[in-house]
């Protein structure tokens, strides 16, 4: 059914169609509308046989999810940013226990300073926790990926994180095709857990494991990720057969056949990148792009096949590894190990900074001339950066960086101090 709907509500409806039995919820922007939507359906009785549990924190949300999944319930939760970091211990526990929990991550920057807007710092922070990470490019894909995620999680008995760009997707209103319950039931069978706590057949999970077996446990978790490299494209193809549209997959090339420069990225920015590719092609430039659908497991072989013939690769990243540069670019270099070609990192959109077609076109033009540094910060305001560097060099008591930058950007900034207003000197 076609609906003009908010992305978060579309995800909520898709999750409900998957017939979750337990939903554990704690609000944090920008995922709150998703669990609010699911909760409203439980309260209204349109989502039946589902227990909606309000908890006191993000750590509690995933801890409850671990318990419900361990007793055999199809389980869902959602979080974002600091919420994901707060539940970090439980994130690792869910993966180590092999529990097929599905979680939406409304991608958002991590403080300090506080920032509620989109980037991929949160998903990158826990990329190696053992969860499969699927990234949505559009709201239609965001909804569809949750249906695939439940099937994937339960087939492999491994948790799946569906990463959706905060605000850019979660709060955008678009026309979505919401499937019927019959279609989802045809694709997603009832949950049959491979492990289930049962008082009639008692055993423990998560018990102490020493050096004699811990490495083997970790290897088997790694093996599930390797198995997902086969399962993800297979389930995506099956999904297309049932629902009549494509969703997910490991990688999606765009105009790469004869491309000399190929851009690689995660999430919604791929839409803007494709617009830039089209414009460059009209101007005669041989530019292409690849959308990464699954960041964990990372599709090394598939990327190598797509990128090997290009002269260079540009990775546009909404995350930063301080002291290194790009996380995605480091993984792409692994895919191209031994291939003599540059892999450039473009850090863009941190904290919700707009990523414009004009800025991307310019950086891709420079890349095509191999006139790009290994790590480029798109649209960085060097004036305020240099001003802060000079300030820090001039006095030990230079003050907090974030507040200094705000004062430099807003010299007329006014605040109320001790009951009277005064202007902050820029």
């Amino acid at each position: 059914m076609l609906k003009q709907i908010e992305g978060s509500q579309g995800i909520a409806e898709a999750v409900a169609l998957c017939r979750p039995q337990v939903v554990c919820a704690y609000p944090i922007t920008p995922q709150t509308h998703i669990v609010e939507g699911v909760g409203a359906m439980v309260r209204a009785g349109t989502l039946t046989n589902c227990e909606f549990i309000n908890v006191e924190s993000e750590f509690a949300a995933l801890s409850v999810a671990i318990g419900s999944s361990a007793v055999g319930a199809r389980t869902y939760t959602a979080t974002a940013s600091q919420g994901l970091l707060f539940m970090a211990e439980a994130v690792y526990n869910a993966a180590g226990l092999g529990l097929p929990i599905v979680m939406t991550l409304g991608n958002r920057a991590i403080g300090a300073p506080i920032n509620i807007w989109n980037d991929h710092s949160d998903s990158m922070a826990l990329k190696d926790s053992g969860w499969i990470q699927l990234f949505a490019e559009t709201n239609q894909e965001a909804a569809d990926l949750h249906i695939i995620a439940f099937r994937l999680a339960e087939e492999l008995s491994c948790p799946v994180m569906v990463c959706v760009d905060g605000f850019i997707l979660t709060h955008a209103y678009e026309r979505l095709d919401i499937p019927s319950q019959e279609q989802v039931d045809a694709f997603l069978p009832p949950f049959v857990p491979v492990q289930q706590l049962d008082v009639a057949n008692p055993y423990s999970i998560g018990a102490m494991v020493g050096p004699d077996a811990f490495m083997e446990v970790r290897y088997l978790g790694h093996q599930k990720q390797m198995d997902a490299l086969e399962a993800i494209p297979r389930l995506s193809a099956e999904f297309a057969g049932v629902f009549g549209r494509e969703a997910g997959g490991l990688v999606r090339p765009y105009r790469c056949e004869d491309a000399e420069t190929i851009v690689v990225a995660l999430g919604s920015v791929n839409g803007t990148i494709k617009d830039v590719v089209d414009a460059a092609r009209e101007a005669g430039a041989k530019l292409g792009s690849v959308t990464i659908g699954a960041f964990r497991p990372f599709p090394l072989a598939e990327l190598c096949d797509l990128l090997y013939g290009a002269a260079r690769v540009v990775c546009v990243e909404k995350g930063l590894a301080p002291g290194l540069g790009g996380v995605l670019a480091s993984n792409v270099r692994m895919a191209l190990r031994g291939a003599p070609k540059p892999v450039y990192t473009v850090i863009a959109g941190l904290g919700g900074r707009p990523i414009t077609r004009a800025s991307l076109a310019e950086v891709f033009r420079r890349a095509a001339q191999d006139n790009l540094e290994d790590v480029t910060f798109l649209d960085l305001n060097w004036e305020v950066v240099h001003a802060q560097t000079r300030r820090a060099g001039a006095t030990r008591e230079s003050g907090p960086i974030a507040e200094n930058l705000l004062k430099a950007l807003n010299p007329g900034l006014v605040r109320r101090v001790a009951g009277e207003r005064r202007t902050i000197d820029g």
Side-chain angles (χ1 to χ4, degrees):
M1 177 186 296
L2 293 177
K3 292 185 177 183
Q4 188 75 13
I5 194 172
E6 186 195 45
S8 292
Q9 189 59 40
I11 292 169
E13 292 197 18
V15 168
L17 290 168
C18 293
R19 301 184 187 275
Q21 296 164 294
V22 175
V23 175
C24 322
Y26 189 82
I28 181 171
T29 300
Q31 68 80 19
T32 305
H33 290 182
I34 301 171
V35 291
E36 282 179 345
V38 176
M41 284 182 272
V42 173
R43 185 174 62 251
T46 55
L47 174 55
T48 59
N49 301 315
C50 178
E51 185 173 359
F52 189 93
I53 304 175
N54 289 304
V55 294
E56 68 276 13
S57 71
E58 292 88 356
F59 180 82
L62 191 53
S63 296
V64 171
I66 287 171
S68 64
S69 184
V71 297
R74 179 172 286 167
T75 302
Y76 170 79
T77 189
T79 193
S81 186
Q82 270 92 342
L84 182 68
L85 298 191
F86 190 28
M87 61 169 65
E89 179 184 352
V91 170
Y92 275 85
N93 283 340
L97 295 173
L99 297 173
I101 300 164
V102 172
M103 176 164 64
T104 308
L105 181 64
N107 286 119
R108 170 187 149 184
I110 293 173
I114 290 295
N115 180 291
I116 65 168
W117 291 274
N118 167 248
D119 66 28
H120 293 160
S121 301
D122 45 10
S123 52
M124 294 299 108
L126 289 177
K127 66 185 186 304
D128 298 322
S129 60
W131 286 59
I132 292 170
Q133 284 192 359
L134 307 178
F135 275 79
E137 180 179 347
T138 65
N139 270 335
Q140 183 66 67
E141 186 175 38
D144 294 343
L145 279 178
H146 286 80
I147 301 170
I148 295 173
F150 277 102
R151 174 80 179 273
L152 179 65
E154 292 168 9
E155 185 172 302
L156 297 177
S157 199
C158 179
V160 177
M161 195 181 297
V162 182
C163 302
V164 181
D165 283 343
F167 293 107
I168 297 171
L169 295 182
T170 58
H171 287 56
Y173 278 77
E174 299 181 46
R175 190 178 74 164
L176 301 185
D177 187 355
I178 304 300
S180 68
Q181 187 66 69
E182 291 73 23
Q183 285 177 305
V184 176
D185 288 346
F187 179 81
L188 180 63
F191 177 34
V192 180
V194 300
Q195 57 179 335
Q196 185 173 0
L197 292 178
D198 185 353
V199 293
N201 181 29
Y203 59 83
S204 62
I205 65 171
M208 176 71 73
V209 172
D212 55 334
F214 190 82
M215 191 168 182
E216 286 73 15
V217 171
R218 282 289 179 260
Y219 172 80
L220 290 169
H222 167 72
Q223 185 60 57
K224 288 184 180 181
Q225 295 270 338
M226 296 298 99
D227 291 343
L229 289 172
E230 178 277 329
I232 290 170
R234 171 173 52 80
L235 294 179
S236 295
E238 186 177 334
F239 181 93
V242 173
F243 297 89
R245 59 178 176 271
E246 294 183 354
L250 296 173
V251 292
R252 293 193 297 275
Y254 184 73
R255 306 190 76 166
C256 287
E257 295 79 8
D258 62 342
E260 296 175 354
T261 303
I262 297 181
V263 183
V264 181
L266 297 159
S268 62
V269 72
N270 282 286
T272 306
I273 290 171
K274 289 174 182 176
D275 289 342
V276 177
V277 169
D278 289 340
R281 285 286 181 171
E282 290 178 8
K286 293 185 176 180
L287 182 65
S289 72
V290 175
T291 299
I292 303 291
F295 184 65
R296 285 294 181 269
F298 195 73
L300 292 169
E302 291 77 9
L303 261 185
C304 184
D305 290 343
L306 289 171
L307 303 179
Y308 204 85
R312 64 195 62 81
V313 178
V314 181
C315 295
V316 176
E317 310 204 30
K318 287 187 173 184
L320 171 64
L324 175 66
V327 176
L328 176 60
S330 299
N331 286 256
V332 170
R333 290 188 183 102
M334 288 181 64
L336 291 172
R337 53 194 179 276
K341 68 187 70 197
V343 177
Y344 299 112
T345 301
V346 176
I347 305 297
L350 298 186
R353 177 73 58 89
I355 303 175
T356 67
R357 287 179 291 181
S359 295
L360 288 176
E362 172 60 19
V363 82
F364 297 161
R365 183 191 64 79
R366 289 169 51 202
Q369 299 171 348
D370 289 316
N371 183 27
L372 206 61
E373 296 179 353
D374 285 345
V375 181
T376 298
F377 291 82
L378 192 71
D379 294 335
L380 187 70
N381 190 329
W382 286 106
E383 183 178 348
V384 298
V385 168
H386 292 325
Q388 172 61 22
T389 303
R390 289 193 298 269
R391 183 182 295 109
T395 173
R396 175 67 179 174
E397 298 179 353
S398 56
I401 291 174
E403 285 68 18
N404 286 339
L405 294 187
L406 289 176
K407 285 186 283 187
L409 289 167
N410 302 280
L413 186 67
V414 176
R415 70 180 178 184
R416 190 177 300 278
V417 178
E420 64 180 9
R421 297 173 70 85
R422 68 186 179 93
T423 300
I424 299 174
D425 185 3

